[in-house]
Amino acid sequence: MSTDLLTDETCGLRERKKRETRRALNLAALDLVEEKGFSAVTTEEIAARAGVSARTFFNYFPSKEAAVIGTTGEELESYAAQLEEVRDGESPIGALRRILAGMLAPASIDRELRTRRRRILLGEPSLAPALVGNNIRIENALTAALERRLGVAPGSALEPRITVAVAIAAVRACIEHQQNGGSGDLESNIDAAFARIAVGLG
Amino acid sequence: MSTDLLTDETCGLRERKKRETRRALNLAALDLVEEKGFSAVTTEEIAARAGVSARTFFNYFPSKEAAVIGTTGEELESYAAQLEEVRDGESPIGALRRILAGMLAPASIDRELRTRRRRILLGEPSLAPALVGNNIRIENALTAALERRLGVAPGSALEPRITVAVAIAAVRACIEHQQNGGSGDLESNIDAAFARIAVGLG
DNA sequence: GCCGATTGTGCAGTCACTGCAAAATTGCAG
DNA sequence: CTGCAATTTTGCAGTGACTGCACAATCGGC
């Protein structure tokens, strides 16, 4: 399931147009936030720049924040799939480190978009609540995937949820540390954080 | 600084009235949410039940969510103070376990309020984003306190922020596990989670 | 009782977000 | 190509969160 996330052609005109519109709204939102800051942007402006009506905006995103953050259900599925596929010698926490770091790194495809997204999201403190809210979705998706990987019934065991939550928290803490002008670069800080977690905080 | 949080009397009439109004708004919000669910409650209703004007509501809380969650700056200071005070033989993570568990437990004073709060907050999934947003404030306060306790400059070291973030994430994961009908009671799950963290997730 | 400062309130306005029904577009069968 | 059904877009009207502002009420100290 989920081959590429972008070249993925279930292509009727309809599906393609929907993808384009969604993307156009996302890009318009990022543009405008970059120009004027999140709170100064209105949903009408975003819709206008994307070339659709104000009402249509809300057919694609449930809120202004969501349009800026722009995480799709497909992306969630992709992360979950990555976690389910077992690489030999890789622990769950190691896989989580890889996947979460990958979410931040500029991917091979869509390089500029990822980079821009990251810069804008990190630069807008007013989006912080929405971002951690978005993490809930990621956490749920990854928890379900880890449960499948471990072969336990959904919601039965505490451990998978703890593992995922701690991993996400570690990454988030590194981001926050960076936003506050802390030392070190993000990559190596994430490495350090996961090393610390693996060995125990006691 | 901060003796009791409730009996604390900087008592002029003014200060007392402000506390009363704040509390009245908070209680009214909890009442109404319990009766009709969060999204069906309006800020006007809350203000009306608390006996103040609609405009005054926003002099006390920046949003509807905040009125329900109701964490005060004083509470944050109190938690921070608890973390700063060193008990012999207690590690930072141990102190965090104690403090965070204490936030959920019905306190000696204000027992019913705490219990109600907890029940309502846990029962309203639509408040989840706001709750994790609120956690940011707690995380920042606790991180600053831990930095002082360890004697490092604010924002310089990565470690304190990681420790706090992971501790909060662990508690949050236990709550979520409970909301999803997971096994075990909250108390013992939190114990298990912190034991797991202390020994390492690797 | 009076004055300066803080707090409460009404008003007008902006904007996020929603339901609904009509219009436009697309996919498909004949 | 053409009409039909399903999907999507759009306009409209409305609700409610939230804000700035000016003014009234209240409080604390003299």
Side-chain angles (χ1 to χ4, degrees):
Chain A
M1 210 173 292
S2 129
T3 57
D4 198 338
L5 217 80
L6 282 163
T7 332
D8 196 15
E9 323 276 353
T10 327
C11 260
L13 217 191
R14 218 160 226 170
E15 194 69 15
R16 196 173 65 222
K17 269 206 162 183
K18 269 179 76 170
R19 278 164 192 273
E20 277 169 16
T21 302
R22 189 189 176 86
R23 185 181 174 79
L25 282 167
N26 187 210
L27 287 173
L30 289 172
D31 274 349
L32 287 165
V33 169
E34 200 169 17
E35 288 173 22
K36 328 184 352 182
F38 180 74
S39 58
V41 175
T42 71
T43 58
E44 291 191 21
E45 285 175 302
I46 298 173
R49 179 163 307 199
V52 296
S53 75
R55 188 62 184 80
T56 298
F57 176 93
F58 290 101
N59 289 340
Y60 283 86
F61 296 100
S63 69
K64 194 170 76 162
E65 289 84 350
V68 180
I69 296 175
T71 313
T72 66
E74 287 174 5
E75 283 176 280
L76 290 184
E77 284 175 30
S78 161
Y79 301 141
Q82 286 179 58
L83 182 57
E84 268 187 274
E85 101 187 34
V86 185
R87 298 190 185 185
D88 47 86
E90 193 182 45
S91 65
I93 193 81
L96 283 166
R97 197 205 67 82
R98 181 169 51 79
I99 294 166
L100 294 174
M103 290 174 55
L104 296 169
S108 53
I109 212 163
D110 237 357
R111 199 183 193 76
E112 9 55 66
L113 175 58
R114 284 278 191 99
T115 310
R116 253 179 84 222
R117 227 193 234 187
R118 173 169 150 180
R119 180 163 35 85
I120 292 168
L121 294 185
L122 297 194
E124 282 279 343
S126 58
L127 278 172
L131 277 176
V132 294
N134 192 50
N135 281 349
I136 297 177
R137 294 171 62 212
I138 300 176
E139 182 180 311
N140 286 333
L142 289 178
T143 300
L146 183 54
E147 287 171 335
R148 286 193 296 272
R149 171 170 169 163
L150 297 176
V152 305
S156 63
L158 180 60
E159 174 103 8
R161 174 143 243 136
I162 298 279
T163 305
V164 171
V166 166
I168 292 178
V171 173
R172 240 202 50 274
C174 291
I175 291 175
E176 206 120 339
H177 182 254
Q178 166 140 313
Q179 282 180 324
N180 296 3
S183 56
D185 68 300
L186 192 53
E187 289 282 320
S188 48
N189 280 339
I190 291 179
D191 285 343
F194 274 85
R196 194 82 184 72
I197 288 169
V199 79
L201 292 176
Chain B
M1 179 174 320
S2 131
T3 56
D4 198 341
L5 219 80
L6 282 162
T7 334
D8 193 17
E9 324 273 354
T10 326
C11 262
L13 218 191
R14 220 161 227 173
E15 194 68 15
R16 197 175 62 225
K17 270 205 163 185
K18 269 179 75 171
R19 279 165 190 273
E20 278 171 15
T21 304
R22 187 188 178 84
R23 187 180 171 81
L25 282 167
N26 187 211
L27 287 174
L30 289 172
D31 274 349
L32 287 164
V33 168
E34 200 169 17
E35 288 173 22
K36 326 184 354 182
F38 179 75
S39 60
V41 175
T42 72
T43 58
E44 291 190 22
E45 284 176 304
I46 299 172
R49 179 166 306 200
V52 295
S53 75
R55 186 67 184 79
T56 297
F57 175 92
F58 289 101
N59 290 340
Y60 283 87
F61 296 100
S63 67
K64 194 171 75 165
E65 288 86 349
V68 180
I69 296 174
T71 313
T72 67
E74 287 172 3
E75 283 176 280
L76 290 184
E77 284 174 31
S78 161
Y79 301 140
Q82 287 179 58
L83 182 56
E84 268 188 274
E85 104 189 29
V86 183
R87 297 191 186 181
D88 47 86
E90 192 181 45
S91 64
I93 194 79
L96 283 167
R97 196 204 69 82
R98 181 170 48 80
I99 295 166
L100 294 174
M103 291 174 54
L104 296 169
S108 53
I109 211 162
D110 234 359
R111 199 184 192 74
E112 10 54 65
L113 174 58
R114 283 281 190 100
T115 310
R116 252 180 86 223
R117 227 192 234 187
R118 173 170 152 179
R119 182 163 33 86
I120 292 167
L121 294 186
L122 296 195
E124 281 279 342
S126 58
L127 278 173
L131 277 176
V132 294
N134 191 49
N135 282 349
I136 295 178
R137 295 171 60 211
I138 299 175
E139 182 181 312
N140 287 333
L142 290 178
T143 300
L146 183 53
E147 286 170 334
R148 288 193 295 273
R149 170 169 170 165
L150 297 176
V152 303
S156 62
L158 180 60
E159 174 104 8
R161 175 142 242 137
I162 298 280
T163 306
V164 172
V166 166
I168 292 178
V171 175
R172 234 189 30 72
C174 291
I175 292 175
E176 205 119 340
H177 182 254
Q178 168 141 313
Q179 282 180 322
N180 297 2
S183 56
D185 69 301
L186 193 52
E187 289 282 322
S188 47
N189 280 338
I190 291 178
D191 284 343
F194 273 85
R196 196 78 186 74
I197 287 168
V199 79
L201 292 176

